[in-house]
Structures are given as structure tokens and as C-alpha cells.
Amino acid sequence: MKQAKLHIDRHFQVGEVDKRIFGSFIEHLGRAVYGGIYQPGSPLSDKEGMRKDVMELVRQLQVPVVRYPGGNFVSCFHWEDSVGPKELRPARPELAWFAIETNEFGLNEFADWAKKAETEIMMAVNLGTRGVDDAKNLLEYCNLPKGTYYSDLRRSHGVEQPHDIKLWCLGNEMDGPWEIGRKTPYEYGRLAAETGRVMKMMCPEIELVACGSSLWTMPTFGVWESDVLKECYDVVDYISMHQYYDNYDNDTAEFLANSTAMDRFISQVVSLCDAEQAKQRSSKKINLSFDEWNVWYHSKEADKKIERWTKAPRQLEDIYNFEDALLVGEMLITMLRHADRVKIACLAQLVNVIAPIMTSDKGAWRQTIYYPYYYTSVYGRGRVLQTLVDSPLYTTKNNGDVPYLDAVMVECDDGSLSLFAVNKSLEDDITLSCDLRQYEGFRVERHIVLDHDDMKAENTEEHPDTVAPKSNGASSMENGHLSAVLKKHSWNMIRMTID
Ligand code: AHR
């Protein structure tokens, strides 16, 4: 048994949680749209063709914002192809993922879906093959009420009310050699500045996200952020971060240490933003949009064999296991611990494509990673308390000495407390203690645990509940002192309330 302590003072707060950190992502890729959120003709769909079972799971997650339509897809996308009468929409070779995009589902259908799913849209513009003019036209189509060419075009498409999209990504991963229309930081920074300037001329209330590095390991990481922000600091509000982790080495302890890498990555991007703020003598802060994050590697070999130019092939269909759920839980904890600067984050993605939700023609089910995402989204809103973790450490190859325990406490909007904690130890339970006498009268309401003996256990269509949460954690509050047992390799949520 290992021992760990948390030190908390209710007056020491990291900041308010921006609910948009529980966002997700739908790209025109694989079966995310076709066969994922949209399947006309299916008995599981509504009359507009939206999968009702998927919608229900998305609503349960309370996803506040969904990034759309890409991803790499956006860098070659003509949004005009995706609106208007369906029979006139062109099918295109989709060059990011080598599939056929029929455009049967487009911008207005997505806006309908978002409304039904009770979520907002985070829209990406194409800065790969297009630029200022097209971004401006798209914004006019989406957000202007009427009386101009593109707003009236939308109305002629049967959409009277503007979509009123507040959050816009200026391109996607423009540093990536794989990206269509890749740019140098100077080229991209200038384009982002001019595009953003024109977009804000039309709709000053919108918020803009500039592309940061595609991964921490990009050779240009750091230089990219500085050079891009140098050009567009005044215009943009956020810089993006993307990161996917893998366990190719099949080394679970090393894999679970990646929350330390993520923590360091966030701190470094904060420093890069603040260094630019200093250089520009600006009073404005740039915050972070971690708009792609997840585990991604299980499907990569299989994806190499996919036939080109088919419609909605099974692509990036990672089947997640129990250890992936632990890391996803840790990544959420890490972002909450940076709630003062991480204001937006998108679990990439939402359905079928590296996703918490999977579908077949017969139904939808929850992957293992659904659960930490669900609980953190639903119970992790409020103010993050500075959570000092006093935990034994273990030594890793890539991340130095890392704590066995990742944890964060949130004082929720309804006055309750949520503690999210992952015990990464593969051998030992952890006895956790925390002095919470400032929260007089609080008691443990429940302690949810996600654990499994087999780190590789998966949820499948046939066995959807192999990895599922249980309300059987051992924790108690005595005289204002919380004590809990966090089982070896487990994700935990401890909820504390006052009667
Ligand atoms: O989410 C899958 C892909 O990962 C996205 O299209 C791209 O932005 C990233 O490389």
C-alpha cells in the first residue's frame, strides 16, 4: 500500500472551468459523419437521418462544443459544396484521407445536428488551399441575418436564422508536412492575421483560434508558436495544441506517465504565449485551445490497407482498452489543473473515429474512454482548487520521475466537491488523505471507480460493459478529513456534498 496526501485551501483557486474544455470533434473522416451521427434510412435515425442512439450518448456527455468539419479534411474543403439542394452537391475526391466525400451531409445539416445535440459549433476555415475571401464568405453565410449575398443564399437554402457561430479555427495543423497547403510560420501567421482581421471586421464578437504545433515533437515546436503569434497576436484569442499518445512499446507504466508530458507541453505553450505578450508590450493574454487530444495508435496499421476512393471507410477506428481510459482520465485532470489558461479542448473525436462512441447498423456503445470523459464533463464544472499532490514517484524513460497519483479537486457550481484521481501504480493501492476541514459538514456522497484486472480489456458491440464504472470506492470523511483507498491502476471520482 502506498500513501499520498492532497493539500487544498479553498481560497487558493486555479480558476473557473470553462465548460468548453469538455468539447469534442466531428471531422468528415471515416464513419464519423456517415454511419456515425448521420445514417438516413436507418431505423435508429430520426426523419432527418440523425442517429438517435448516438445523439442520446452525446447528450449524456453534455458536450458543450464540437469542432467541425476538420481536421486535415478542412484544408482542401470547399464549404459551398456542402450546402444547397443535395442532388446538386458534388462528390469530391477527399485528399486528406483518400476517400470520396459525397457532401450529402454538410454545414446546415451539422448545425441542425448540433442544435439537437445541445452543443455549439467550433467551425474551422480552410487556410490550406483557400484564404481570406472564402473565410469571409463562409462567415457571412453562417452569421449574417439577411440582406447580403451569402446570408440570403443561406436563407434560399431554407435556413432563415443565422447559425451565429462564435468560435472559429483559422485552419488546421498548418505546420504539418501531411497538411494540404502547409505553410511556414511566417506565411501562416500573416494569413491568419489577415483572415482573422477581415472576419472580425464582419463579426467583432467572434473568437479566433490560431494553429499551434501539430504535436509537441514537431521539429518546429516553439519556434512555430513564437513566429505565428508575432504576426497575429492582436487578432487571435487562442492558440491551438494537438497531442495524441500511444503505447506501441506496450509499456503501461511509461504510457500512463504521459500526463506529465502533457502538463509540460501546456506550461511551455503558456510560456511561449506570455513571452510574445511581453515582446509586444500587450495587455492581452492568449489562451489555449487544446482542440485535438486523445490516445491514437490501435488502428494505424490497419488503416494503411484501406482501399482508396471509397465512401466512409472504416478509418481510425481505434478500439480503446482499459489503460487508454486511465490516460484519458489523467489528461482531463491535467487540463483541469491548467484551467486558468486552457479554455477550450476537444476530445478527438466523438463517434467511430478515435472516439468514445462506436456504432454499427444495430446500435451504439460506449468505449472505455467514454467514462472518464463523461464523469469529468458532468461533474467537473466550477472552480478548480489548487491541488497539491504529495505522492510517491516512479522513474520513467521519457518523463523523468512522475507521481503515481494524478489528482484535481473542483468546487462545483452547486457547492459540492468533485475529486478526480488516477492511481497509476500497477502494483499497489494508494491510501489518500486530505484535510478538508474548511468544508465543514461535507460528507462523501459517492466514490465511482473505473478499474479492471486486465489493462487491455475492451468494450465491444458483443460485450459493451466489460469496462464499466462501479460505485464501490472506499472513502470516508471523518472530522473534516477525507480518507480514501485508490485501487491499483484505477480512475476515481469522489463526490462530496453537504446535506
Ligand atoms: O483527428 C485526426 C487527425 O489528426 C486530424 O484530422 C488532424 O488534424 C490530426 O492530425
Side-chain angles (χ1 to χ4, degrees):
M1 186 80 94
K2 292 186 161 58
Q3 315 279 335
K5 267 191 189 157
L6 299 181
H7 299 284
I8 281 179
D9 184 309
R10 71 183 307 169
H11 303 291
F12 292 176
Q13 305 189 346
V14 178
E16 194 76 30
V17 177
D18 188 321
K19 67 176 182 187
R20 296 174 301 174
I21 70 167
F22 303 117
S24 190
F25 179 24
I26 289 282
E27 177 165 5
H28 278 257
L29 158 56
R31 297 191 307 129
V33 171
Y34 305 106
I37 60 172
Y38 176 74
Q39 197 172 2
S42 163
L44 298 169
S45 299
D46 66 13
K47 60 181 192 328
E48 278 77 38
M50 311 296 179
R51 281 282 294 255
K52 289 185 285 186
D53 50 349
V54 173
M55 183 80 73
E56 179 47 31
L57 291 176
V58 174
R59 283 207 200 105
Q60 284 176 21
L61 287 167
Q62 297 183 19
V63 183
V65 67
V66 180
R67 186 163 173 255
Y68 178 83
N72 297 342
F73 170 83
V74 82
S75 293
C76 199
F77 178 51
H78 282 220
W79 66 268
E80 302 89 332
D81 292 348
S82 82
V83 294
K86 289 198 178 184
E87 60 287 3
L88 299 180
R89 297 185 195 171
R92 301 271 190 204
E94 202 291 284
L95 294 172
W97 301 103
F98 304 107
I100 292 178
E101 173 54 57
T102 62
N103 285 302
E104 185 188 335
F105 183 98
L107 169 55
N108 294 320
E109 288 79 24
F110 185 69
D112 281 348
W113 177 84
K115 219 171 269 158
K116 288 183 189 171
E118 295 160 15
T119 192
E120 298 283 325
I121 301 172
M122 179 183 194
M123 191 73 178
V125 302
N126 174 357
L127 293 190
T129 59
R130 306 186 95 183
V132 184
D133 211 33
D134 301 301
K136 171 182 72 61
N137 296 345
L138 173 59
L139 179 62
E140 181 186 329
Y141 184 93
C142 289
N143 282 20
L144 260 50
K146 61 180 179 183
T148 66
Y149 178 78
Y150 282 106
S151 60
D152 286 342
L153 182 65
R154 182 197 70 241
R155 292 168 69 232
S156 78
H157 294 156
V159 185
E160 183 60 36
Q161 294 306 318
H163 297 312
D164 204 12
I165 299 172
K166 291 276 178 326
L167 195 54
W168 293 78
C169 302
L170 296 168
N172 179 71
E173 297 191 346
M174 298 307 309
D175 60 332
W178 57 84
E179 199 72 17
I180 296 165
R182 176 199 191 186
K183 297 183 170 42
T184 66
Y186 176 72
E187 286 166 343
Y188 171 69
R190 289 288 308 125
L191 183 59
E194 293 309 316
T195 307
R197 200 158 62 84
V198 171
M199 290 175 79
K200 283 195 170 172
M201 279 176 183
M202 182 137 59
C203 298
E205 69 286 0
I206 60 172
E207 291 193 306
L208 298 173
V209 183
C211 294
S213 296
S214 302
L215 290 164
W216 183 70
T217 43
M218 293 300 288
T220 49
F221 169 59
V223 173
W224 174 272
E225 280 72 6
S226 300
D227 289 0
V228 165
L229 286 176
K230 189 171 169 200
E231 303 304 327
C232 65
Y233 196 93
D234 283 348
V235 176
V236 304
D237 304 282
Y238 306 93
I239 189 142
S240 74
M241 299 177 69
H242 291 181
Q243 189 66 49
Y244 298 97
Y245 294 109
D246 66 68
N247 191 8
Y248 282 121
D249 294 341
N250 195 17
D251 182 339
T252 302
E254 195 69 30
F255 175 64
L256 297 181
N258 277 314
S259 55
T260 297
M262 186 190 210
D263 181 78
R264 186 179 53 222
F265 185 19
I266 293 172
S267 299
Q268 289 172 346
V269 177
V270 167
S271 302
L272 290 162
C273 291
D274 292 352
E276 200 48 41
Q277 179 185 15
K279 285 190 240 165
Q280 305 221 359
R281 320 278 189 276
S282 173
S283 58
K284 172 180 165 187
K285 264 201 193 318
I286 298 288
N287 284 318
L288 314 186
S289 172
F290 213 129
D291 46 44
E292 287 188 34
W293 68 271
N294 202 346
V295 173
W296 173 18
Y297 73 107
H298 298 285
S299 59
K300 284 203 176 167
E301 266 317 297
D303 283 2
K304 290 183 188 153
K305 299 180 194 122
I306 291 173
E307 192 192 333
R308 288 182 170 209
W309 315 127
T310 60
K311 294 179 197 169
R314 288 178 181 268
Q315 263 169 317
L316 281 69
E317 297 209 3
D318 274 41
I319 304 303
Y320 289 112
N321 60 31
F322 171 60
E323 68 185 14
D324 298 330
L326 292 182
L327 183 59
V328 162
E330 293 172 45
M331 291 169 92
L332 285 157
I333 289 171
T334 306
M335 286 188 286
L336 281 173
R337 291 176 64 87
H338 286 277
D340 54 335
R341 299 303 291 272
V342 180
K343 300 290 176 187
I344 303 161
C346 303
L347 174 63
Q349 299 192 11
L350 188 55
V351 186
N352 288 332
V353 171
I354 44 174
I357 301 170
M358 294 300 287
T359 69
S360 74
D361 289 346
K362 290 185 262 160
W365 63 99
R366 298 172 180 87
Q367 294 233 54
T368 60
I369 63 168
Y370 184 98
Y371 293 107
Y373 181 38
Y374 165 77
Y375 284 109
T376 317
S377 171
V378 174
Y379 297 102
R381 299 176 189 209
R383 287 150 305 283
V384 177
L385 299 174
Q386 283 185 21
T387 310
L388 233 144
V389 179
D390 181 358
S391 158
L393 306 171
Y394 67 101
T395 303
T396 66
K397 285 197 293 281
N398 299 320
N399 290 297
D401 289 346
V402 309
Y404 280 108
L405 175 65
D406 276 0
V408 70
M409 183 90 83
V410 179
E411 199 181 86
C412 302
D413 292 330
D414 65 359
S416 60
L417 289 172
S418 294
L419 173 65
F420 301 98
V422 174
N423 176 1
K424 291 175 244 179
S425 171
L426 304 180
E427 288 89 31
D428 296 318
D429 295 352
I430 290 180
T431 327
L432 176 72
S433 61
C434 180
D435 181 344
L436 286 173
R437 280 175 297 173
Q438 287 176 324
Y439 291 92
E440 207 188 330
F442 274 63
R443 62 177 181 82
V444 174
E445 183 222 340
R446 63 190 153 135
H447 178 169
I448 307 274
V449 183
L450 192 68
D451 70 336
H452 205 283
D453 291 341
D454 178 3
M455 302 306 291
K456 308 294 181 192
E458 297 167 344
N459 292 346
T460 59
E461 185 168 20
E462 295 71 36
H463 302 285
D465 298 320
T466 306
V467 178
K470 294 179 211 98
S471 193
N472 63 358
S475 49
S476 62
M477 188 88 98
E478 297 270 338
N479 302 321
H481 290 268
L482 171 72
S483 25
V485 176
L486 309 177
K487 291 189 194 160
K488 64 179 178 184
H489 51 74
S490 69
W491 174 94
N492 301 260
M493 179 185 74
I494 302 176
R495 295 265 307 137
M496 286 150 280
T497 52
I498 190 158
D499 287 326

